[in-house]
Amino acid sequence: MIPRAALPTFASSSWTAATLILVGLLLGGTSLSAQAWRPGPGAVDTGLLLRQMDGVKRVLMIAAHPDDEDTALLAAAARGMGAQVAYLSLSRGEGGQNLIGPELGEGMGIIRTGELLAARRLDGAQQYFTRAFDFGFSKRADEALEHWPMEVLLEDVVWLVRKLRPQVVVSIFSGTSRDGHGQHQAAGLVAAEAFSAAADSTRFPHQLRMGVEVWQPSKFYTSHRFSPDLASLMVPTGIFDPLLGRSWFQVAMESRSQHRSQDMGASQPLGPRASPLRLEARIPPLPTADDTHLFAGVDTTFLSLVPDSDGESQVRRLWEHVAAYGDAVQAAAGNLHAFEPWRASSQLARALHELRLAEGLLGFDGAYTPELRDEVSRRLELGQKALLSSAGVVLDVRASRELLVPGEELEVVVQLWNGGPFPVRNVRPALFLPPGWVQSEDPAPVQVVPAGGAVEWTFSVRVPSGTTHSQPYFLEEERDGSLYRWPPDPDLLGLPGNPPLISGGVELTLEVRLPGQTTANAPWDRPTLQGVKRALFVGLDKADGEFRRPLAVVPALDLATEPSIMAWPLGLEETRVVTVRLRNHGVSTLRGVVSLEAPTGWLVEPMDQELEIPPGEGEQSYEFTVQPGAAVPEGMHRLQAVARTQGGRVFREGFTLIDYPHIDPVPLFHTAQTQISVFPVAVADRRVGYIMGSGDDGARALRQMGMDVEVISPERLQAGDFSDFDVLVLGIRTYEVRPEVGAVNAAILEFARRGGTVVSQYNKYEYPEGGFAPYRVAMRRPHHRVTDPQAQVTFLEPDHPVLNWPNRLGPDDFSDWVQERGLYFLSEWEAPFRPLLSMADPEEDPSLGSLVVAPVGDGFYIYTGLAFFRQLPEGVPGAHRLLANLVAAQAPVAAGDMDGVDADAAADRGR
């Protein structure tokens, strides 16, 4: 389990763990990002905070995936209305495609989680998830709910409704066939059910013992962005915001553009825009004609949370303090000045004073309610943050290392800059660490930091030897099918990732009266404030300047094998090399031995090798030769890398740092293994040129099956000279992600006309629309795809050479495929293209466009939407054998002329 931060050590603090978590959210959102968007202390930041301090407005949007959200509505509600807004994505998008890199599955989920967080930093919403793992595209709700049981989804959604207490729930989907994707339909169904289930104490009663209470949202909307004529409410999003200098819709389009792995870059147009919604339910009922704005019919005043009371009761005093708080917030907003934001500070201090008095009365005369308690607590933190921002007080917490190793130390520096006009007094620093972590003694407090002055404190922190690694909490245990296993800690449920490892803070007294001010002292003129910020590693890049990255605990030595997956033809007795790469993340030289452990029947040489890796994250590589014995059977075999260092430490795992410029790096830990898939396969003697697309394992797989493969360089591609190849293989989405491929498409087709073979793997609509095939083809919108990985496959021409040479294919070759058969199948094609396969999802007509072939001049051309990019990294034998046949295809053999070819002998070799 990930370590949790310790409680603050401020002597006068009455903070709870929940308060600390809340402060962390306010200072950086639920985001893991070190590059969190915020304008910094000053007028804009204070103004945005003041919008949140006034009314009580909470919105929860629910959909199925990253990119489903109505980002414009999120931005309008969060940035413009000052509402607490959250987007709940059922899944992290693990089943999607990746435009920017090779990651799939869990790695894809980490990328898309990071992209959602980058989007939320811009539009101002928070981000949450259920435990659903995106298993891939589904066409019907019942199919999705076979993977994600309705009660499990509902439990997770109800938990977040009860935790966040939204007055307004917006479902992006309707739960009907108009949603398209089966996971979309499931999201619509569960959102509608949760609207009422969250208020039912008999549904998931165990949650009521976990710190939440039943909650009934007031309004339930569905999005109608694709059918605005059916909407009952248009929420304006294209309104110019003077604080942001642009419209909420423009902010939303920048937010939308963070979904880079999904090809979601968007322009930021000027002018009016609106998000169409349809009111589906209202408790109590509200006539549609009266639904004039998002919160119509909902009392959003903070004062409405205080119980009614007459006379001089404590509740009456509570009401008066809350009312005075509201007056002070309005006065602060009126005094906020672009060049002198501290003009609002006195009224912000007054608002805090009134709120603290109100907090002291919550336990009297039945005034306590969980909602009122939480709203008071939230405003106390917002108010402190707004006051520090208006006064120009800046807090920063910097760590000396990014990757922390158990048993070693780092330095953490807490910095305070008093950039405003007010004196800051009695400043005391503190660190908040996970349990068991040890820090040096607290530095001495500073009595005064004058206007314009700065001060810093340095802490030494030791990471305990037994500290667990920073695996994302939802990956700490193996999944239960298509569901993550939630941890027992309720504070983690639904969060995007792990809480910060280290935070730092200060407690201080701020004198909000300007020097020379002659008015009488007010009781709020010297408020005591507390601020907390998470520690980040701050580095310097000579080209890009300063950068910030979150902290993570990693092993001193991490291992990786290369390749991590290997296709091995059955009966092949050659030796191959497996490389074990080791990286030292610690501060000491590591010495010992490294070995590659193999199952029975495999020969590995040498048995072990001495290692000596200096500090500074140095990397060293060790090569081992592997060879199967004669008795090694078909199937999957695993080679395990192990390093044993002096002192008795044993290392068997490593991590991949999922790291792209627009998201925070997150380590994904894995066992250091090479998986070897042994199966019968024969290959033709062809020289292959491979044109990489958005990332796939085709070139590696072909080499491992024994083919001569060259990945074509950008320079060679631009020259368009492919004369020394027999075959050109185009990786996935080449025409989308590499425009230069389209520029040389004429040379690719000429290569085929002169006798070469071209294999084009799946492309999107750019392919038919660009006319890149040798004959006219088309794709339906939405495109044909077969999502059932075990869907029956029928050979339309069983005797066709492509299905028989050099490997005789059969039903077994389509067993054990993963996630899907394929996508972006052709819907139409012009002769002489011929389809070779037929397949379909349940209750659908057969699709014939997964594999089409045609002669072109003296050569041959193949288009396939089959998902080789998913099968090859999993070592699926049949996908490898089929790919070997596609690459072997050539005219006249591929056209059906087998004269002079011993197909039976070749096929027998392939079995």
Side-chain angles (χ1 to χ4, degrees):
M1 177 55 60
I2 61 173
R4 301 302 307 278
L7 292 178
T9 56
F10 298 130
S12 62
S13 172
S14 61
W15 291 7
T16 64
T19 303
L20 178 60
I21 293 169
L22 177 62
V23 173
L25 301 187
L26 293 173
L27 289 177
T30 55
S31 169
L32 302 176
S33 174
Q35 309 297 333
W37 179 89
R38 50 172 302 157
V44 173
D45 189 44
T46 305
L48 292 173
L49 289 165
L50 279 165
R51 286 178 179 172
Q52 300 177 56
M53 292 173 64
D54 190 9
V56 180
K57 302 173 183 176
R58 297 185 296 267
V59 179
L60 176 62
M61 183 179 292
I62 302 173
H65 310 103
D67 89 345
D68 286 343
E69 70 270 33
D70 183 340
T71 318
L73 181 59
L74 295 178
R79 296 296 186 198
M81 302 176 196
Q84 287 179 271
V85 183
Y87 173 50
L88 170 57
S89 177
L90 299 189
S91 78
R92 298 170 186 263
E94 301 92 339
Q97 289 82 52
N98 189 353
L99 182 71
I100 60 176
E103 296 87 357
L104 297 172
E106 287 86 353
M108 182 77 264
I110 288 176
I111 290 175
R112 293 194 174 176
T113 297
E115 290 176 339
L116 281 171
L117 293 174
R120 299 296 82 81
R121 293 193 295 272
L122 290 159
D123 57 44
Q126 297 178 1
Q127 182 63 52
Y128 294 93
F129 298 92
T130 74
R131 74 190 90 173
F133 174 85
D134 183 357
F135 55 86
F137 192 89
S138 59
K139 297 178 180 179
R140 306 179 317 279
D142 59 343
E143 178 187 352
L145 295 174
E146 288 177 4
H147 292 265
W148 303 340
M150 183 64 173
E151 280 297 292
V152 174
L153 283 185
L154 187 60
E155 179 181 358
D156 290 356
V157 177
V158 164
W159 165 258
L160 285 166
V161 171
R162 289 171 172 173
K163 179 179 180 179
L164 302 177
R165 292 197 291 268
Q167 299 124 317
V168 177
V169 173
V170 178
S171 176
I172 295 297
F173 300 111
S174 64
T176 67
S177 58
R178 76 175 176 89
D179 298 332
H181 201 314
Q183 293 179 5
H184 293 171
Q185 297 173 38
L189 291 171
V190 74
E193 180 72 12
F195 179 73
S196 56
D200 184 349
S201 61
T202 67
R203 305 299 300 272
F204 314 111
H206 65 281
Q207 294 180 352
L208 307 182
R209 300 186 292 272
M210 297 166 61
V212 297
E213 295 193 356
V214 294
W215 179 257
Q216 176 60 67
S218 298
K219 303 175 79 174
F220 181 76
Y221 288 98
T222 54
S223 171
H224 278 263
R225 56 186 173 183
F226 299 119
S227 53
D229 55 312
L230 299 178
S232 62
L233 175 66
M234 302 294 288
V235 180
T237 61
I239 295 176
F240 178 80
D241 189 324
L243 284 177
L244 302 175
R246 50 185 172 161
S247 73
W248 306 318
F249 186 85
Q250 289 177 299
V251 171
M253 292 306 97
E254 184 179 355
S255 167
R256 191 77 174 167
S257 298
Q258 302 310 302
H259 295 296
R260 298 183 190 177
S261 68
Q262 302 195 67
D263 197 15
M264 287 287 175
S267 61
Q268 301 178 28
L270 306 176
R273 290 291 191 280
S275 288
L277 303 176
R278 182 176 182 85
L279 184 63
E280 305 289 355
R282 169 72 171 92
I283 298 177
L286 179 74
T288 302
D290 294 338
D291 191 40
T292 55
H293 60 86
L294 192 62
F295 291 96
V298 180
D299 191 342
T300 61
T301 61
F302 185 23
L303 205 55
S304 69
L305 301 181
V306 181
D308 294 331
S309 179
D310 296 326
E312 297 298 321
S313 69
Q314 300 283 12
V315 174
R316 177 64 185 178
R317 289 177 55 206
L318 173 63
W319 188 96
E320 291 170 349
H321 289 310
V322 171
Y325 161 83
D327 292 342
V329 168
Q330 291 298 321
N335 289 332
L336 186 62
H337 189 279
F339 298 108
E340 295 179 332
W342 41 85
R343 292 186 186 181
S345 298
S346 179
Q347 290 300 324
L348 281 166
R350 176 189 164 209
L352 271 176
H353 172 74
E354 297 291 350
L355 206 55
R356 283 168 172 164
L357 293 175
E359 183 185 34
L361 297 170
L362 288 181
F364 290 100
D365 298 338
Y368 175 91
T369 66
E371 184 181 11
L372 179 58
R373 172 206 62 196
D374 290 351
E375 288 297 335
V376 169
S377 177
R378 175 174 178 269
R379 279 163 175 73
L380 283 170
E381 307 309 332
L382 282 172
Q384 291 185 85
K385 188 178 177 186
L387 180 49
L388 290 171
S389 178
S390 71
V393 178
V394 182
L395 174 67
D396 200 12
V397 184
R398 300 182 173 212
S400 61
R401 299 175 64 180
E402 172 189 357
L403 301 179
L404 314 182
V405 173
E408 297 185 352
E409 293 187 349
L410 72 151
E411 286 190 345
V412 180
V413 178
V414 177
Q415 300 177 325
L416 182 78
W417 175 27
N418 183 9
F422 305 121
V424 172
R425 301 187 186 279
N426 305 321
V427 187
R428 292 186 296 140
L431 284 189
F432 313 130
L433 304 170
W437 291 36
V438 180
Q439 70 173 62
S440 57
E441 292 185 3
D442 288 339
V446 173
Q447 294 304 311
V448 61
V449 182
V455 65
E456 68 177 38
W457 302 266
T458 300
F459 297 80
S460 178
V461 176
R462 172 167 286 275
V463 183
S465 297
T467 303
T468 56
H469 304 149
S470 296
Q471 182 82 299
Y473 76 88
F474 52 91
L475 295 177
E476 287 184 344
E477 294 189 39
E478 186 177 350
R479 286 197 320 273
D480 178 11
S482 295
L483 297 171
Y484 291 115
R485 297 181 190 272
W486 261 181
D489 186 347
D491 288 333
L492 292 176
L493 303 186
L495 291 184
N498 299 351
L501 278 171
I502 300 175
S503 295
V506 293
E507 182 179 73
L508 55 85
T509 299
L510 181 68
E511 294 188 0
V512 296
R513 284 200 308 138
L514 291 169
Q517 186 174 338
T518 58
T519 57
N521 287 338
W524 55 81
D525 275 353
R526 293 170 60 88
T528 297
L529 305 175
Q530 296 166 333
V532 175
K533 197 170 185 178
R534 65 187 180 135
L536 299 169
F537 170 72
V538 181
L540 178 64
D541 183 276
K542 292 295 186 181
D544 296 331
E546 182 178 289
F547 62 90
R548 296 175 175 242
R549 293 162 74 92
L551 312 182
V553 177
V554 302
L557 187 65
D558 90 84
L559 295 73
T561 59
E562 188 177 291
S564 59
I565 184 74
M566 188 183 298
W568 199 296
L570 181 66
L572 183 67
E573 297 181 359
E574 69 179 14
T575 61
R576 292 184 179 178
V577 173
V578 173
T579 301
V580 179
R581 302 190 184 279
L582 294 90
R583 291 180 294 175
N584 182 359
H585 301 288
V587 296
S588 304
T589 297
L590 294 174
R591 298 179 177 87
V593 295
V594 58
S595 57
L596 188 64
E597 297 177 349
T600 301
W602 289 85
L603 175 66
V604 177
E605 293 185 345
M607 293 184 62
D608 53 51
Q609 302 181 53
E610 293 188 359
L611 66 86
E612 182 174 342
I613 307 180
E617 301 183 19
E619 177 178 291
Q620 290 188 6
S621 299
Y622 300 83
E623 293 186 346
F624 296 84
T625 61
V626 299
Q627 184 178 22
V632 167
E634 291 185 48
M636 191 69 75
H637 306 256
R638 292 173 174 82
L639 308 179
Q640 172 69 57
V642 182
R644 295 175 172 84
T645 61
Q646 294 176 358
R649 287 188 292 176
V650 179
F651 300 89
R652 293 176 174 270
E653 71 172 359
F655 67 91
T656 300
L657 201 61
I658 308 294
D659 190 6
Y660 290 90
H662 63 306
I663 63 174
D664 271 356
V666 175
L668 176 60
F669 291 85
H670 51 77
T671 302
Q673 290 184 342
T674 290
Q675 298 187 83
I676 302 179
S677 181
V678 177
F679 54 87
V681 62
V683 297
D685 184 14
R686 315 292 306 278
R687 177 159 167 72
V688 180
Y690 205 97
I691 301 174
M692 290 300 298
S694 65
D696 63 73
D697 279 355
R700 174 199 57 78
L702 290 170
R703 287 195 187 104
Q704 291 176 355
M705 287 188 290
M707 303 200 77
D708 181 8
V709 182
E710 176 185 328
V711 175
I712 297 176
S713 67
E715 295 77 17
R716 180 157 191 181
L717 179 65
Q718 185 176 13
D721 180 12
F722 313 121
S723 57
D724 58 343
F725 296 116
D726 301 305
V727 185
L728 289 180
V729 179
L730 280 62
I732 63 175
R733 299 170 73 170
T734 46
Y735 292 100
E736 176 188 4
V737 300
R738 298 188 65 181
E740 65 271 28
V741 177
V744 299
N745 192 66
I748 293 173
L749 296 181
E750 182 61 23
F751 167 81
R753 292 188 185 98
R754 293 178 177 271
T757 297
V758 175
V759 180
S760 179
Q761 296 185 72
Y762 102 86
N763 275 273
K764 297 174 70 177
Y765 301 111
E766 294 85 357
Y767 179 73
E769 292 169 358
F772 296 123
Y775 312 105
R776 189 186 67 81
V777 297
M779 287 179 186
R780 188 186 67 178
R781 288 180 181 265
H783 58 92
H784 285 97
R785 66 192 303 166
V786 173
T787 62
D788 181 357
Q790 301 306 318
Q792 182 176 346
V793 177
T794 301
F795 290 8
L796 299 176
E797 298 187 37
D799 296 328
H800 196 284
V802 167
L803 303 177
N804 289 277
W805 188 82
N807 301 283
R808 180 171 290 158
L809 304 180
D812 288 349
D813 290 294
F814 289 92
S815 299
D816 300 320
W817 282 44
V818 298
Q819 185 160 321
E820 59 190 340
R821 287 293 189 202
L823 65 171
Y824 289 95
F825 293 174
L826 297 180
S827 59
E828 299 177 27
W829 49 88
E830 185 179 52
F833 269 127
R834 299 158 64 181
L836 298 185
L837 301 177
S838 170
M839 60 190 72
D841 280 323
E843 301 179 13
E844 291 191 354
D845 294 333
S847 177
L848 309 184
S850 64
L851 177 62
V852 298
V853 301
V856 179
D858 293 332
F860 203 66
Y861 191 98
I862 298 170
Y863 175 84
T864 178
L866 294 170
F868 288 107
F869 73 101
R870 296 199 187 278
Q871 315 313 317
L872 302 180
E874 298 294 331
V876 177
H880 282 80
R881 288 162 48 82
L882 175 55
L883 181 60
N885 279 20
L886 299 184
V887 173
Q890 57 183 314
V893 171
D897 183 0
M898 297 288 288
D899 290 345
V901 175
D902 189 349
D904 288 337
D908 289 340
R909 290 197 303 272
R911 298 308 301 176

